[in-house]
Amino acid sequence: MTAATRRPPREGLLTAPSFVWLTVLFALPTILVFAIALRNPDPDGGIGAGWTAANLGRLAGPGTAGILWRTLWISAATSLICTALAVPVGYVLARVGPRWRVRLLMLVVVPFWTSFLIRVFAWKDILHPEGPVKRLLAALGLAGPQTSLLYSAGAVVLVSVYAYLPFMILPIYAAAEKFDFRLMEAARDLGARRWRAFRTVFLPGIRRGLWTGLLFVLIPSLGSYIIPDIVGGPSNELLGNKIAQRVFVDRNLPQAGALSVVLMLAVIAPLAAALILERRKRRPGGLFR
Amino acid sequence: METETAKDERTGAGGGEAPDFLEFRGVSKRFGAVRAVENVSLEIRKGEIFSVLGPSGCGKTTMLRLAAGFERPDAGRVRLDGRDITDLPPEKRRLNTIFQSYALFPHMTVRDNIAYGLRAAKRPKAEVEAEVERMLHLIRMTDQAGKKPDLLSGGQKQRVAIARALINKPDVLLLDEPLAALDLKLRQRMLVELDLIHDEVGLTFLYVTHDQGEAMSLSDRIAVMEAGRIEQVGTPAEIYEAPRTSFVAAFIGDTNFLEGEVADAADGEHSRLRVEDFPPVVCYNDKTLGPGNSVFLSIRPEKVHISRDRPEPATLRNVFPARVEDVIYLGAMTRYWVRAGDLRIQVLRQHARYFLDEKPIRWKDDVWIWWHADDGFMLERYREKDESLIAPPPADLGEDAGGGAPDEDGGR
Ligand SMILES: Nc1ncnc2c1ncn2[C@@H]1O[C@H](COP(=O)(O)OP(=O)(O)O)[C@@H](O)[C@H]1O
Ligand SMILES: [Mg+2]
């Protein structure tokens, strides 16, 4: 009765390309990173001989925990803010007429025509102590002379939200565009106010888009190092910065590998837990039914 | 005296009516240049099944959306139970809708779908559960309660949609072509089921459909709608027997149209009409049209009699010689198209003893047709394009038509 038993024999052939793709570009690199993390460093910046757990052991200090925590909360905050902004945008995009839709979608996509690096640098000017935002806030009495917009965790979140928002908007829009808005009318008809209809019918209706967007934003922000480097300053380094330093400054690839492993586990563990929970909920019979 | 009561029934002057409950007063709604609903006034009575019947695109769904609160009228008011609800949002109106597409929430189980209204109203959990069980029982789907809508058949979805709407105990249930997506058999069963549910819960139904059969069999009263306007409101019998416009006459069932001019009075209630290339026609005249007024008549095909023998002349009987041009044997009936004078007239005849009939009517036969003066109806409004709604005679029938009736040597 399960779908698996009825699969046509050709399915193996059909899925082969994506299987190869995933193996070569995803599984192998992941295994390599794990392997490198367990090798001795080579003084020339390469990978030395022999296996060791010392790289992982060296991470056990409080410094790693602090930076891991900061990476996680900044990424989580970025993802949440992106979601909160992208859902209404996706909703509007799906509801407006086709002409407006094209124009608004252009607005979402057009920043990509400028280099990512340049756009992040532009924020440095915007948030600069002599920059327009600071002056405006000061004029309004909202910021004192020593308030710093730049080089703060807030600046990292702000610029990350700016940079990753399109990756949240597009999948949410794609889901909202397929959403049957008559369901919202049905909810209203049954007595739900706007907000309740939105929460109980629209959001579950676009949940695939939400999950996709969340992954698209969460994963790059977890590994991000350019944004914290440019607008975060030394006190707001994230794991990504540490990894970059190990690679480019210390030329210690195994140590960088160990950090990556920590990051990966930090991401994969909660995802796997969420996935298992979701499955449990779907099938009351349990995981292995 | 007897004719008096008959006329009363025809014009719908009955007594003992329930008070108006859902009212549209001069309601209009436009979408850009499209006049979806144009100055509609309707009164729907408490407890009745009221249908809006009309072709696709005539504005039926818009009427329901105006009642439900999804559209605001450009002009006019909507009232429910004496209260003006025109400006209330949908969630504040005690009306619930069965949507054309059911609009079941796909991510919720049947049970959660049905519970939605009560949960939105923040009713106590125990009450919600009890009511949902009651509803599941009513629609006989207790054993399917945990399923998602995707796994249900069309009829089951339909029943869930009904339960989901009924659980809120609305004042009026709005149904937008609820049976259109079902196959014929299921449609007939659901029709009976809807009627039973109506009896059981005693709700007011506002039922929208393009299917005259549905409307006729289900409704207490029908409003026939065309291009945003109401053409006629009445009981199914009134609508069918006494159509007031050419649209109603042609859209509901089949009919023959005759164009003429009042010549003189035949008696107190009847007038003689002059029809071009045709002998004078006697017709009931309730419109007090005087000589010289031009009129359009509608005569239902089944009201026209046909025979090879000349009928006895009688007062108020219109008798004409004609020639058979097409014959279609339909089993229970035979449909004839005959040429009388310059007119092509459709005749529907039920068979009593087909094989025993001494002289079956064939193609090219000379016959007599006749109808009673009271079976013709003067139309208040006639539009030529409405004639296209009448089933046309098949173009390619020709000579075979006579053979549509079984030959004597064929059957036995
Ligand atoms: N939201 C809308 N925007 C533009 N035109 C509409 C809209 N809703 C309905 N119409 C138009 O109004 C007319 C009546 O539509 P509708 O009420 O859906 O008819 P029905 O339900 O009788 O088929 C149609 O011509 C339709 O195209
Ligand atoms: Mg419709």
Side-chain angles (χ1 to χ4, degrees), chain A residues 179-180 182-194 196-205 207 282, chain B residues 65 68 70 89-92 95-97 99 101 103-108 113 116-117 119-120 122 164-165 168:
Chain A
F179 179 77
D180 180 0
R182 284 174 300 189
L183 296 177
M184 295 284 275
E185 289 187 343
R188 299 286 303 280
D189 190 72
L190 292 167
R193 287 160 188 271
R194 259 170 222 284
R196 189 188 184 86
F198 183 83
R199 193 165 47 80
T200 59
V201 177
F202 181 69
L203 287 185
R207 64 189 182 286
R282 283 243 184 96
Chain B
R65 293 173 60 80
F70 299 127
E91 65 267 24
K92 294 246 172 68
L95 302 153
N96 284 116
T97 309
F99 293 86
S101 53
L104 298 180
F105 304 127
H107 61 287
M108 292 184 197
N113 262 286
Y116 193 89
R119 289 192 182 138
K122 304 215 171 67
R164 190 179 69 169
N168 279 8

Side-chain angles (χ1 to χ4, degrees), chain B residues 31 34 36 54-63 71 100 176-177 208:
Chain B
F31 297 104
V34 179
S56 169
C58 73
K60 306 181 297 290
T61 297
T62 307
M63 288 284 295
E71 307 285 358
Q100 200 162 356
D176 191 355
E177 312 221 9
V208 152

Side-chain angles (χ1 to χ4, degrees), chain A residues 7-113:
Chain A
R7 276 183 191 164
R10 295 249 180 78
E11 203 181 40
L13 265 175
L14 285 173
T15 52
S18 48
F19 185 74
V20 170
W21 172 279
L22 280 174
T23 311
V24 172
L25 295 175
F26 179 75
L28 281 181
T30 307
I31 292 166
L32 276 178
V33 168
F34 271 85
I36 290 168
L38 296 172
R39 300 304 285 251
N40 279 314
D42 177 277
D44 295 335
I47 298 153
W51 298 91
T52 175
N55 300 318
L56 289 169
R58 224 167 285 142
L59 298 175
T64 313
I67 210 162
L68 181 63
W69 168 241
R70 193 187 304 128
T71 306
L72 289 177
W73 85 251
I74 284 184
S75 303
T78 303
S79 309
L80 285 180
I81 296 171
C82 278
T83 313
L85 293 175
V87 167
V89 173
Y91 183 92
V92 169
L93 278 172
R95 301 253 50 192
V96 295
R99 292 181 60 196
W100 272 104
R101 186 180 293 180
V102 171
R103 287 178 208 170
L104 292 174
L105 275 173
M106 276 301 286
L107 284 183
V108 174
V109 178
V110 110
F112 286 108
W113 291 76

